[in-house]
Amino acid sequence: MSSPPAIRAGRLQDRLAAFAAIGATAKNGVNRQALTAGDRQARRLLAELGSARGFAVSQDAAANLFLRREGRDPSLPPLLLGSHLDTQPTGGRFDGALGVLAALEVLEALADAGVETPRAVEVVAWTNEEGSRFSPGCFGSRAFAAGRIDPAWENALSLDGERLGDELAATLAALTEAAMRPLGGTIAGYLELHIEQGPVLEREEIAVGAVTGIQGTRWLEIAIAGAAAHAGTTPSSFRRDPMVAAAASLHDLYGNVMPRDENARLTVGRLRAEPGSINAVPERVIFSVDIRHPDPARLDAIEAHVRRTCAHAAAAAGCRSEASILFDMPPLTFPDAMVALVEDAATRQGFSVRRMVSGAFHDALFVARVAPAAMIFVPCRDGISHNEAEDVEPRHAAAGAATLLECALAAA
Amino acid sequence: MSSPPAIRAGRLQDRLAAFAAIGATAKNGVNRQALTAGDRQARRLLAELGSARGFAVSQDAAANLFLRREGRDPSLPPLLLGSHLDTQPTGGRFDGALGVLAALEVLEALADAGVETPRAVEVVAWTNEEGSRFSPGCFGSRAFAAGRIDPAWENALSLDGERLGDELAATLAALTEAAMRPLGGTIAGYLELHIEQGPVLEREEIAVGAVTGIQGTRWLEIAIAGAAAHAGTTPSSFRRDPMVAAAASLHDLYGNVMPRDENARLTVGRLRAEPGSINAVPERVIFSVDIRHPDPARLDAIEAHVRRTCAHAAAAAGCRSEASILFDMPPLTFPDAMVALVEDAATRQGFSVRRMVSGAFHDALFVARVAPAAMIFVPCRDGISHNEAEDVEPRHAAAGAATLLECALAAA
């Protein structure tokens, strides 16, 4: 009888290094944006690694790439494990790649041990998760969940003037040895390992995060209109200064939203004053407010609080405030059984684990629309991501992969 | 015996209309920037109006233009009355022109009445007060006070690619009938009528402002550095958010500087967050602080308060604050005897009058370095200036001119 399946940490590190070399930057990062030559090269390498182990290679119309290890009953829906291979323009070596290569490691560990799973297990590399070359992101997982490609997305243009539809066709054509499969289809479940992209696990020295859901995100734009006036000649009582209202609004929001709700996030990353003269009271101040919360009712309540606060502060300064919604993505909660699957798997493997909400989007957000899904987080150094300095300790990469394997054994 | 001298309000209005036609814009404003063809045309008209009344026309190397009505003793230093004829690109009909044409009206009123003054009275039109075509502004009055033209200024280039030195020579050459006079020289005093460019006189329904001085101006740039972070994944306690520090700083400054000192002005007209992503905690927030005060000690105290407030708020948010001075113009106080001269003149003429500080620069700021100077303000509609909508009621223009005449009679 064969020994129980186990991931091989050294092999995983070798694979991470091999993929990091494709699109490597001078600063030890990776520039391998979606549907570029580098992305095609990474897909080819993944396909070759899969073929070499006898896994069936296929791709769908969205260029999602699959490696399948057949199960005892090929008619059962497969268990899907994966993430993405594309990166930000100045991306790191782990965001996405870790999830795909840990999934491959799981398949190889099963094959090494000769384990026969009841259902097939598939590795997936979703197309264009980052959305930095072609908007929107999570293109592949959205298309998979919808069973179709939104025609509008095919006409998305990159900054270098390429059309997504054209680059997609070229990417598919570059991997002719992969069988074409229908877009979408029934799956038993989806598991995605990903770096946390935040500081919590590292600071709490916890090896594994069992992700309970992905918080909702809403972007507001607040425009406060006052009256331009000469900085030297206009006394305080004659001013209608929108910067006074903006400062009062933000000071109030920073003091009340996050401090009173540990699950709330409120960020003002963009602010401008018009016309922007040093020696003039501005006419308008416009700023963004990014609010996030796992609970949709709280998201609504925070939005209402932001609108009310800005309106009151504007009125007090003799100004008018208008709010508009730029973006709205509702929260997602993973099924509790799937979260417990991750938690139990980590615990059985002897890793410290905590439940946590994902602050960022992931392909799992969309796959969860069509199947039970879960995510496993591992710590990344200083919480840094979308950055060439992104780094993950080998022991944490291995712990994540081992947890993923344990989950796959339980779910497949 | 002749009747006492009196200004003729209709003549002043006709002159204002004639000059407003030179560089008139579609929106009833004026575009007559320094040393342009329009500026030359306005100088020519002023010279012709002066010559027609027998006033001696002269200009100096800075193209300051003078009309002289001789006094009983030509060896006495003259009294100078004036302002400027150049405008902002989208300027109004009164900023500058009112002061020059009211001074001409004073000379004509003296001539009409056949009054012989002990000393000569001169009208002056200073060159390039606005500084919008060639920086810095107050070119002519600075040169007059210094007795020389700063060589660096001659090489100033306009946005249309012209060099100040060349445009100055062409402007001088265009008025060959004006005698050349030395730059600078001894004068008995200087009086300048100007629109307030602020709302105080209008709102308080006061006809004349006796300007006690020109407040000091200091521009600070505050840069608060924190750490960029993902808006979704970074909990509040892990953030070092410079926008939090900026909001706290500004809220504190708005609540404490102007409300506690009616002579203080504090304006934040420019603010930016870097990198300016909606979904990222900014790395840096940079903003300007324009502070003004008539008292240099208070200006220093306010600067120190701004630096302290920003440093404390930055530290509280885990950030660092740096302040630098972009511009510093010390306050000027006109001699009390000159302020009283204006106040008494207005009162004798039956006009309501209040002492007030000028929030903006004027040529008087520089002429005051070499002679006793004073300024007379009149109300402008809604405090609007540097704007094509700039407007002054005829009765207020006449009241300003009558006050200027009364001052000239007392001082000449």
Side-chain angles (χ1 to χ4, degrees), chain A residues 277-314:
Chain A
S277 297
I278 292 179
N279 58 348
V281 172
E283 188 169 353
R284 293 213 312 162
V285 172
I286 299 115
F287 55 93
S288 61
V289 185
D290 174 314
I291 55 179
R292 310 212 181 192
H293 205 285
D295 174 354
R298 285 290 302 145
L299 209 54
D300 289 343
I302 294 168
E303 181 195 331
H305 178 66
V306 170
R307 287 175 180 266
R308 208 163 46 232
T309 300
C310 294
H312 285 177

Side-chain angles (χ1 to χ4, degrees), chain A residues 227 229-241 281 317-318, chain B residues 254 258 264-268 290:
Chain A
H230 192 297
T233 57
T234 317
S236 182
S237 57
F238 294 129
R239 296 185 180 205
R240 298 193 291 119
D241 187 341
V281 172
Chain B
Y254 286 132
M258 285 196 284
R265 302 282 180 272
L266 183 145
T267 305
V268 177
D290 174 315

Side-chain angles (χ1 to χ4, degrees), chain A residues 70-100:
Chain A
E70 199 50 85
R72 194 176 308 134
D73 183 352
S75 72
L76 288 178
L79 174 69
L80 216 53
L81 317 176
S83 192
H84 59 96
L85 287 174
D86 66 309
T87 73
Q88 291 277 321
T90 53
R93 291 170 288 141
F94 300 92
D95 176 3
L98 176 63
V100 174

Side-chain angles (χ1 to χ4, degrees), chain A residues 197 199 203 215 231-234 238-239 243-244 248 251 254 265-267 269-271 273 276-277 279-280 282 290 292 359, chain B residues 197 199 203 215 231-234 238-239 243-244 248 251 254 265-267 269-271 273 276-277 279-280 290 292 359:
Chain A
Q197 304 186 284
R203 301 230 180 159
Q215 65 189 351
T233 57
T234 317
F238 294 129
R239 296 185 180 205
M243 190 67 86
V244 170
H251 187 60
Y254 286 133
R265 302 283 179 271
L266 182 144
T267 304
R270 188 177 283 179
L271 190 150
S277 297
N279 58 348
D290 174 314
R292 310 212 181 192
Chain B
Q197 303 186 284
R203 302 229 181 161
Q215 66 189 352
T233 58
T234 317
F238 294 130
R239 295 185 180 206
M243 190 66 87
V244 170
H251 187 61
Y254 286 132
R265 302 282 180 272
L266 183 145
T267 305
R270 188 177 286 177
L271 188 150
S277 295
N279 58 348
D290 174 315
R292 312 213 180 190

Side-chain angles (χ1 to χ4, degrees), chain B residues 292-374:
Chain B
R292 312 213 180 190
H293 205 284
D295 175 353
R298 285 290 302 145
L299 208 54
D300 289 343
I302 293 168
E303 181 194 330
H305 178 66
V306 170
R307 286 175 181 266
R308 211 163 45 234
T309 300
C310 294
H312 285 178
C319 301
R320 280 177 315 100
S321 153
E322 282 181 16
S324 52
I325 292 180
L326 298 180
F327 177 76
D328 189 17
M329 174 72 73
L332 169 81
T333 304
F334 292 124
D336 194 66
M338 294 296 285
V339 181
L341 179 75
V342 172
E343 213 170 25
D344 295 349
T347 304
R348 274 200 306 278
Q349 291 282 325
F351 303 129
S352 53
V353 60
R354 66 162 277 174
R355 291 183 171 227
M356 63 192 303
V357 171
S358 171
F361 308 153
H362 294 288
D363 289 306
L365 177 62
F366 298 96
V367 185
R369 294 178 177 174
V370 294

